[in-house]
Amino acid sequence: MPRTAFFISDGTGITAESLGRSLLAQFEDVEIRMLTKPYIDTLDKAHSLVAVIEATAVRDGERPIIIDTIVDEEVRAVIREALGFKVDIFSTFLKPLEEELGTHSSYSVGRTHSIGRDDVYMDRIHSVHFALDNDDGARTHQYDKADIILIGVSRCGKTPTSLYLALQFGIRAANYPLTEDDQDEDGTLKLPRVLASHRHKLFGLTIDPRRLAAIRHERRPNSRYSSMDQCMQEVQQAEAMYRQMHIPFIDTTRFSVEEISTRMIAETGLHRRFSPH
């Protein structure tokens, strides 16, 4: 029977959900329905949620899994009465840390995901604007200000990766598409002239041609652009250029944007302007 997991918080619920999903992902053979319940910050809301949890237990025939990051002790006490298997993140980890550090936690709701310092917030905004302004080779004259320049064939994941790097780490990421316009007369892909002076900032993305064809088919069905032959040719030429020019690259086929970005940072040593929330 499928199980239900509740991620509960008196804030956004991002921490409870992130930790909960990471834990439950280790149990591939169990079907788990995941529900995030943010802003459970009053006793009335807590009691209402307990009623939902109890009804879920009856429906499933199994007690739900409850993972919470509730700060308020009274609200937490209400949730604790619910019929479920409870993983209380704060009480599990904060108490031992208080003992180790010799001080009490501030127990502040939403502290992890608050805007916090103005300079960090503005770094995030500027980095996102930079990624948008320099998407798809739009403004190559700003490449001297880029921390990294992602290159690759169309629809291999450059834009979402650039935006994730900006939003989560404050990294100024530009991206440039490799197209037929960058080929020699013999059809060989060459490094675009506009990128030549920025080779030390380049990072390539590649993708399985079958996956690329499927993605492009959603955009332009039954076109040369989405044909298997075209996708295979473009990917092969891009990878050959990466190797010839000693440009580091990663295959995005089976990785999430989070994994792509983290691997990229680890390989290049990019400086994070702030840590992700």
Side-chain angles (χ1 to χ4, degrees):
M1 293 292 292
R3 300 288 294 270
T4 301
F6 287 89
F7 307 135
I8 307 170
S9 173
D10 39 12
T12 63
I14 295 174
T15 300
E17 181 176 351
S18 298
L19 288 170
R21 287 184 178 274
S22 296
L23 291 170
L24 296 174
Q26 309 306 313
F27 301 93
E28 298 178 358
D29 297 332
V30 181
E31 181 182 348
I32 301 177
R33 176 171 170 255
M34 303 182 191
L35 301 174
T36 302
K37 300 294 183 180
Y39 301 113
I40 306 300
D41 50 7
T42 67
L43 294 179
D44 286 343
K45 290 180 181 179
H47 285 298
S48 296
L49 180 55
V50 167
V52 172
I53 294 172
E54 302 284 350
T56 302
V58 173
R59 183 199 66 199
D60 292 351
E62 296 279 359
R63 59 179 180 167
I65 298 162
I66 301 171
I67 298 176
D68 81 83
T69 55
I70 293 176
V71 171
D72 187 281
E73 183 59 42
E74 291 185 351
V75 174
R76 195 189 315 163
V78 172
I79 298 299
R80 197 180 297 130
E81 297 301 315
L83 178 61
F85 176 80
K86 302 168 191 67
V87 181
D88 185 335
I89 302 297
F90 279 173
S91 66
T92 300
F93 297 107
L94 280 184
K95 290 298 183 184
L97 277 172
E98 286 178 337
E99 293 178 7
E100 177 64 24
L101 297 175
T103 186
H104 291 291
S105 163
S106 61
Y107 288 91
S108 299
V109 178
R111 192 173 183 85
T112 305
H113 303 282
S114 61
I115 290 176
R117 301 197 333 258
D118 288 342
D119 57 339
V120 172
Y121 179 72
M122 293 310 299
D123 265 336
R124 176 180 279 111
I125 296 301
H126 290 322
S127 297
V128 170
H129 284 171
F130 184 90
L132 292 172
D133 287 344
N134 292 275
D135 183 46
D136 225 19
R139 295 188 180 182
T140 58
H141 66 278
Q142 294 186 355
Y143 283 0
D144 59 319
K145 300 176 183 177
D147 298 317
I148 191 169
I149 304 169
L150 308 185
I151 59 175
V153 302
S154 173
R155 312 304 289 180
C156 69
K158 301 184 300 299
T159 296
T161 302
S162 297
L163 288 172
Y164 186 84
L165 287 168
L167 186 61
Q168 294 296 314
F169 303 106
I171 291 172
R172 288 168 172 74
N175 73 79
Y176 185 96
L178 301 174
T179 68
E180 291 179 333
D181 293 338
D182 301 312
Q183 293 178 350
D184 283 327
E185 293 181 358
D186 63 358
T188 302
L189 184 68
K190 66 181 186 299
L191 184 69
R193 182 177 300 176
V194 71
L195 300 178
S197 60
H198 304 289
R199 277 183 57 180
H200 63 292
K201 296 182 179 181
L202 301 182
F203 198 100
L205 301 184
T206 188
I207 189 172
D208 184 279
R210 290 166 295 186
R211 174 62 177 155
L212 180 61
I215 294 172
R216 288 183 174 185
H217 182 75
E218 294 294 321
R219 188 177 179 88
R220 298 182 198 168
N222 304 316
S223 64
R224 176 173 173 266
Y225 171 75
S226 62
S227 70
M228 188 63 197
D229 287 343
Q230 179 68 19
C231 292
M232 188 174 295
Q233 180 185 36
E234 289 185 35
V235 169
Q236 288 175 347
Q237 289 195 344
E239 291 184 4
M241 189 193 73
Y242 297 156
R243 294 186 178 98
Q244 180 185 4
M245 306 299 294
H246 303 289
I247 297 170
F249 67 96
I250 186 172
D251 187 334
T252 65
T253 308
R254 296 177 179 82
F255 292 135
S256 66
V257 67
E258 294 89 349
E259 291 173 304
I260 295 167
S261 301
T262 303
R263 288 171 181 268
M264 192 180 298
I265 291 172
E267 186 165 339
T268 61
L270 275 172
H271 171 65
R272 308 182 187 195
R273 287 186 173 82
F274 49 79
S275 298
H277 292 334

